[in-house]
Every structure is written in structure tokens, then in C-alpha cells.
Amino acid sequence: MTHVNDKTKFNLKEQILTLFSKYSMVIILVALLIAFQTMTGGIFLRPLNITNIILQNSHILILAVGMLLVVLLGVVDLSVGSVMAFVGPIAGILMINQKMSPWLVVPICLLVGAIIGAWQGFWVAYVGIPAFIVTLAGLLMFRGLTQVVLGGQSLAPFPRIFQKISTGYLPDVLTTGSGLKMLTLILGLILTLILVWGQFNQRKKRQSNLFEVESNNLFIAKIAFTALVVMGLSYTFALYQGFPVILLILGTLVAIYHFVTNQTVVGRQIYAIGGNRKAAELSGINDKKLTFLVFVNMGVLAALAGLVLAARLNASTPQAGNSLELDAMAAVYFGGASTSGGIGRIMGAIVGGLVMGVLNNGMSILGVGVDWQQAIKGLILLLAVVIDIYNKKRK
């Protein structure tokens, strides 16, 4: 009986350690939220501030989605901040100077991003130049071209409909007398049910394929936590202006890329290339084509992030996107991606980006200087890599 109890305790301990390694950044994010809420005297979790965190970091989260696929290949893209900056003036010239419709300009800018990604992807995939060198050249080249196009000046203002990409909110026809946005709550409830059903379905599939799953108690706790977070955020947004438009765009991107990376052949092949490129080649995977497409995808998402940033600033500026490639990579590594490739999840990258956003916002409210903010973020990035190495050794 003692032997059985010891084995049960060991299994429970292993499951808890596995859950901690899998959701370590979620735990850190929750701890940061509680800490900043306490230190700011209840200001941090006010609906206005939570909304601001989303609006201020949406472009970084978009970059992180694309950067994850690049990192999964075992490489990095240093040019994304400069590509963001370069797309802003193109949008400004077309919309402000040429008076073109935003509905036409946005696809044109995304196409420009795809062409830039194809340019860099060609040198990396088909010529064999290291991605670090190619994208470092891209960082310098597109930053310089941004200065040339703008001539050191800013372009503003953008049309109001374009600004709504980053500062608009979902229209609510069901607002109550108290100002609560009921449509936001209803959408939050629907999203909660979808997520809970997805987790039940995934657990059922793993059990049918004889994979090990967490205990019933831990699974119920995970379901309850998911429902609490989604409904809590929905209620918070409902107290203010409802769901921001950019959050709906970001949610759509996350859903699409989560499906691609987890449920498609292309997604599995990207993980295979990052895990062992030579073995992937021998198994028939066209690694050059996939590498090329991943860089094209990164170019498109960098262009989208550039449009979102320009809409939020309501201007195209020469310094837009400075150092954001580092923020995107930090978000990916915070979220559990491996520096050697082949390991990482879309939701992990999003959580990593939110950790950075929460840190920036919380420390700004507390009056922490920018110099100390950079130092603290650097320390946390190192901590994320240490956790990654620890998890690898434990496994």
C-alpha cells in the first residue's frame, strides 16, 4: 500500500512539474498581474488600463506570431522593425498624399511586405546565406529607405477609418443602462465554450491514441482557469468600450496560426525542419521552399504590424519600429520557444508578448525609469532561457 501511495505521489509530482514547465510563463504572467495590482493600489487592472495594454502591444503580438515560425526553423529575423517602419511611409504617401482609399492601400502594403519577405527568403533558402546576415542587411537597408522616403519628416494624419484598425472598438447594440457592453460578454461566453470544448476534444483524442494525459483534477483546474481568464477579460472590456478591433484581428490571427502549426502538414514540417534539418531533408521535406514561405509570411505580418503601429500613432515616422525585432524575439523566447528551433507554440508567444507588455505598463505606472525597465526585461529574458534549458535537461 505504501509503495502504491509513493508511486501516486510521484506521478502527481511529475504532472505538476510538467504543467509548470508547460505553463511557466502563464504562471509568471498571473503573478505579475497580482503584483502590479497590489503595488499600484488597484489601478493596474482597471478596464481602461487593461485595454491600453492590448492597444499598446498589439503590433508586438502580431510580430511575435510571425517570428515564432522563423524561430521554429532555428533562425531569426532582425529586419522586422525596419520593415514595419518602411511600410508606414508607403501607407502615408498613398493615403495622405495620394488620397487613396485605406481599403486599397492596406492590401498594397501587405503585398509590399510579402515582396520584402520573398527577397530575404530567397537569399536565405536558395542561396544559403545565413539568416542573421541577410536580415541584418535588411534591418539597415529598410531603415535607410524609410529615412529616404520620408526625408526625415513625419506624415500625418491618417484617415479616421484607418485609425480604427488600432483604436476602434466593436460596435455594441446591446449596451445596458449601466453602460455594460452585453455583446462583448456574449462573445466572451461563446469563446469560452469553444475553448473548453477544444480542450475536452483534444484530451479525448490523446486518450484514444493512448497518449498520457493529466489527471482529472488538474484538467478541471485548467478548464476552470481558462474560463475564468476569458470571461474575466470579457467583463473587463465590457465595462469600458467593448472588444478593441485590433483584439479581434489578433484573435483571428492566433486561431489561424494555431491551426496551421498544430493541425496541418506544413506546420509539422516546420517543426521537423527546426528539430533536425538534415533528417527533414532525408524524409522528403522541401526545407528550402518552406523556409522561403516562412520569410514571406514574416514580411506580411511585419507589414501588418507596421500598419497597426502607424494607425495607433496616427503618423508615419522615421523612428517607428526601433528595436521591435528584439521585443518580438523576446516575446517568442519568453513564451517557451527553443533557441535551437523545433519547439514553441503560438499561444506561448502571445503570453510572452503579454508578459513584456505587462512589465512595460506596470513599471511605467510605478514610475520606473526606462533604463531600469530595459535591465529588468533583460534579466527576465535570461530567466526564460534558463527555464528552457532546465526543462530540456529534466526531460
Side-chain angles (χ1 to χ4, degrees):
M1 180 66 70
T2 303
H3 175 71
V4 173
N5 289 337
D6 289 343
K7 185 176 180 180
T8 302
K9 290 179 180 178
F10 175 78
N11 289 335
L12 181 60
K13 181 181 178 181
E14 276 298 303
Q15 288 187 12
I16 292 174
L17 286 174
T18 300
L19 281 176
F20 177 78
S21 65
K22 189 175 181 180
Y23 300 108
S24 55
M25 277 301 132
V26 176
I27 296 171
I28 291 174
L29 176 59
V30 172
L32 286 173
L33 291 174
I34 295 173
F36 281 129
Q37 175 70 355
T38 302
M39 289 187 289
T40 59
I43 295 175
F44 188 78
L45 291 181
R46 288 180 180 175
L48 173 60
N49 193 56
I50 293 298
T51 302
N52 284 338
I53 291 174
I54 299 298
L55 298 181
Q56 292 167 2
N57 294 278
S58 54
H59 54 283
I60 296 176
L61 297 178
I62 292 171
L63 283 182
V65 170
M67 187 65 74
L68 176 67
L69 299 186
V70 178
V71 169
L72 285 176
L73 294 178
V75 297
V76 294
D77 188 341
L78 300 176
S79 69
V80 292
S82 297
V83 174
M84 285 178 61
F86 181 64
V87 167
I90 294 175
I93 290 172
L94 295 178
M95 274 188 269
I96 298 171
N97 294 350
Q98 303 299 322
K99 307 298 181 183
M100 289 179 62
S101 168
W103 297 103
L104 183 59
V105 173
V106 169
I108 291 175
C109 290
L110 296 181
L111 178 60
V112 169
I115 293 172
I116 293 172
W119 163 262
Q120 298 191 133
F122 168 77
W123 295 109
V124 175
Y126 294 106
V127 180
I129 301 176
F132 182 88
I133 301 299
V134 172
T135 57
L136 178 59
L139 181 152
L140 299 172
M141 181 169 64
F142 294 111
R143 181 63 62 181
L145 289 175
T146 302
Q147 297 281 356
V148 170
V149 172
L150 286 175
Q153 304 296 317
S154 296
L155 274 177
F158 281 103
R160 187 172 298 276
I161 189 173
F162 177 73
Q163 296 176 42
K164 288 186 179 295
I165 293 176
S166 188
T167 59
Y169 297 89
L170 181 68
D172 199 317
V173 296
L174 301 175
T175 303
T176 63
S178 62
L180 193 66
K181 306 296 189 294
M182 292 304 298
L183 181 59
T184 297
L185 285 179
I186 292 171
L187 290 177
L189 178 59
I190 293 172
L191 179 59
T192 300
L193 294 175
I194 291 173
L195 291 175
V196 170
W197 175 83
Q199 292 190 27
F200 270 108
N201 192 44
Q202 184 181 25
R203 178 182 171 85
K204 185 177 179 181
K205 284 183 178 179
R206 290 183 63 86
Q207 287 176 326
S208 64
N209 291 322
L210 302 180
F211 285 110
E212 186 178 356
V213 297
E214 63 267 67
S215 67
N216 289 333
N217 289 337
L218 289 176
F219 178 70
I220 292 172
K222 186 172 73 170
I223 291 291
F225 178 78
T226 300
L228 180 63
V229 169
V230 176
M231 288 306 301
L233 281 175
S234 300
Y235 181 73
T236 300
F237 289 128
L239 287 173
Y240 185 53
Q241 298 276 10
F243 280 127
V245 171
I246 188 59
L247 184 62
L248 300 178
I249 295 173
L250 184 61
T252 302
L253 283 177
V254 170
I256 291 171
Y257 282 87
H258 178 79
F259 175 79
V260 169
T261 53
N262 288 279
Q263 304 294 332
T264 67
V265 173
V266 170
R268 296 188 191 99
Q269 289 178 343
I270 290 173
Y271 279 102
I273 293 172
N276 190 323
R277 184 175 292 270
K278 184 59 65 176
E281 290 178 9
L282 294 174
S283 65
I285 295 175
N286 190 338
D287 68 308
K288 292 182 179 179
K289 179 181 177 181
L290 278 178
T291 299
F292 176 79
L293 292 177
V294 165
F295 273 93
V296 171
N297 175 77
M298 185 71 258
V300 172
L301 290 183
L304 177 59
L307 292 172
V308 169
L309 181 59
R312 187 171 72 83
L313 298 177
N314 193 24
S316 298
T317 63
Q319 301 304 318
N322 255 347
S323 301
L324 287 187
E325 58 277 347
L326 301 180
D327 287 346
M329 287 188 287
V332 170
Y333 293 132
F334 280 170
S338 173
T339 54
S340 57
I343 298 174
R345 291 286 182 267
I346 292 295
M347 285 307 302
I350 296 298
V351 171
L354 289 175
V355 167
M356 290 189 59
V358 166
L359 278 171
N360 290 334
N361 185 272
M363 289 189 291
S364 296
I365 292 175
L366 292 173
V368 178
V370 176
D371 47 357
W372 277 107
Q373 289 187 31
Q374 295 294 332
I376 292 170
K377 285 194 293 184
L379 183 62
I380 291 181
L381 176 58
L382 179 62
L383 175 63
V385 177
V386 169
I387 292 174
D388 173 49
I389 294 173
Y390 168 76
N391 289 335
K392 284 183 179 178
K393 289 183 176 180
R394 191 176 66 83
K395 290 177 181 178

